[in-house]
Amino acid sequence: SDTISEGKMATSMSLWAVVLLIAAVVTPADGLLMPTLAVHSGRLLPLRSSVRSMALRSAVKMSVSRREAIATAFTAAITLIPSAFPSAANAEGGPYTLPPLPYPYNALEPYIDETTMKFHHDKHHQAYVTNVNKVLEGKPVVSLVELQKGAIKAGPAIRNNGGGHYNHALFWKTMPPADKSGAPSPALAKAIEASFGSVDKLGEAFAAAAATRFGSGWAWLGVAPDGKLVVDSTPNQDNPLMEGAGCKAMIPILGLDVWEHAYYLKYQNRRPDYIKAFMSVINWAEVSSNYEQYAAKGVPVPV
């Protein structure tokens, strides 16, 4: 239809704009000449000029440092290509749905910014939901928790998207508004002291797991088969509920997303700063409930 065609054209234009913007920022001034693009009557027209001649490039070079310029390009990319991700409004039906955030987008400020929360929840998480629903079309429906167990064996589509859905659904609930972090319950505090020595020592172990996860992935706090609390990390969208995940056996009660999309707008390459900030927005009441009601009894946390 005309609407679909216009949508595809808009997405194409946006993607080209992103490519040119990032190229303009990261290419040295005497670097490669590339054709720019202009929009005329709904079409893209090539112009015989160079990226370095673009007014946008000049403005960026004069006003910000290279690191700030890269962050600017990253922000612009997110602004320009929302149509490249599925949204709640156009997501197809299926067994799973995107859970709403249990707080406003800006509730985690100043630790996690509003803009990041919007595209992380509405675009990235929605994409995992939409994609896993497509993969499971026509197949028997199982709970999201049940899906995790055999996700690796089921193949990359379910492993990545089913895992991404579960991980994020748990993630949102284990963060509260910044002034409501609270403290571990007596039962969880006792378990933390027995396994790590103190809450501070747990924080150090958790931060180390998150900081040393190479590339993208998650850090986890969970209950091991022997009942003790353990910390570990997994790559990509894997989680400890998956058979063959390659991490310590545990039922996770807290997870931290260390993919760059979770923090780059505010923290750029400073992952340790993001991890430190996260420690200020842990919903200890929720984590305590995950421990007492589920994991300590050997039951995976439902989301």
Side-chain angles (χ1 to χ4, degrees), residues 194-249:
S195 299
F196 299 98
S198 68
V199 173
D200 288 343
K201 292 294 184 181
L202 163 62
E204 292 173 8
F206 189 82
T212 57
R213 166 47 56 188
F214 182 77
S216 302
W218 291 76
W220 303 100
L221 168 66
V223 179
D226 63 3
K228 292 184 178 180
L229 295 174
V230 293
V231 162
D232 207 346
S233 69
T234 55
N236 303 315
Q237 294 299 343
D238 289 359
N239 65 59
L241 297 181
M242 297 178 178
E243 292 181 344
C247 64
K248 296 175 184 176

Side-chain angles (χ1 to χ4, degrees), residues 32-53:
L32 179 66
L33 297 182
M34 296 176 62
T36 61
L37 301 175
V39 179
H40 179 67
S41 301
R43 298 178 180 274
L44 295 175
L45 299 178
L47 301 178
R48 293 182 179 178
S49 60
S50 67
V51 169
R52 67 185 179 188
S53 69

